């Protein structure tokens, strides 16, 4: 398999993997909202409402990515940019004891910050499935 073929395969799989991740994370926003509240920028009011709202957004974007909707890639990239401040807040607070469980680990917390870049790339690879000529 050539490098170009591998890249095409990755481009096809990346949005699906991100979609599955969004659906899982979206469910967690409702099942266990407190860890998400802990990483919210402190200046924002109504943390629970933001957690639920971002959970709904993740579920919608995840479903859109999994079903290859045209809007899903740009919407998912925008969502990832919108939650980036929470990841930065988590990294700044890591090691303080303020965050629950693994989120308080500095390596994990700081690792999430640059991880947004490949996740945004994955979102932008989403596009409707194309019919192959002659199929």
């Amino acid at each position: 398999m050539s490098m170009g073929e591998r890249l095409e395969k990755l481009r096809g799989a990346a949005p699906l993997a991100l979609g599955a991740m969004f659906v899982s994370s979206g469910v967690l926003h409702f099942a266990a909202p407190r860890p998400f509240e802990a990483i919210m920028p402190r200046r924002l009011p109504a943390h629970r409402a933001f957690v639920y709202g971002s959970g709904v957004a993740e579920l919608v974007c995840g479903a859109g990515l999994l079903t290859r909707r045209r809007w899903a890639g740009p919407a998912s990239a925008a969502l990832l940019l919108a939650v980036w401040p929470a990841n930065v807040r988590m990294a700044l607070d890591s090691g303080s004891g303020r965050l629950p469980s693994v989120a308080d680990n500095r390596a994990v917390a700081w690792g999430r910050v640059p991880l947004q870049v490949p996740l945004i790339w994955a979102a932008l690879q989403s596009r409707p499935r194309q019919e192959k000529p002659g199929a």
Side-chain angles (χ1 to χ4, degrees):
M1 185 181 291
S2 73
M3 182 64 98
E5 290 170 325
R6 285 187 204 143
L7 183 57
E8 267 315 298
K9 194 171 190 172
L10 180 60
R11 284 182 172 156
L16 298 175
L18 181 60
M21 186 187 87
F22 271 168
V23 169
S24 299
S25 180
V27 168
L28 283 175
H29 278 69
F30 293 95
R34 287 195 177 167
F36 296 99
E37 289 175 330
I39 66 171
M40 295 280 301
R42 289 189 276 285
R43 290 186 178 204
L44 286 177
H47 285 176
R48 181 69 53 105
F50 274 102
V51 168
Y52 287 162
S54 62
V56 168
E58 287 189 13
L59 289 168
V60 169
C61 285
L65 289 169
L66 292 171
T67 57
R68 299 178 180 267
R69 302 292 183 219
R70 186 171 307 282
W71 54 263
S76 297
L79 176 60
L80 288 162
L81 287 171
V83 301
W84 210 335
N87 291 330
V88 171
R89 177 79 270 151
M90 184 174 102
L92 293 171
D93 286 346
S94 64
S96 69
R98 180 177 185 274
L99 303 172
S101 68
V102 73
D104 204 38
N105 180 296
R106 286 186 187 271
V108 170
W110 282 103
R112 283 184 59 145
V113 175
L115 182 61
Q116 296 297 97
V117 173
L119 293 178
I120 291 168
W121 176 86
L124 295 175
Q125 302 315 300
S126 180
R127 53 194 172 274
R129 190 178 302 264
Q130 300 284 328
E131 289 295 322
K132 293 183 182 179

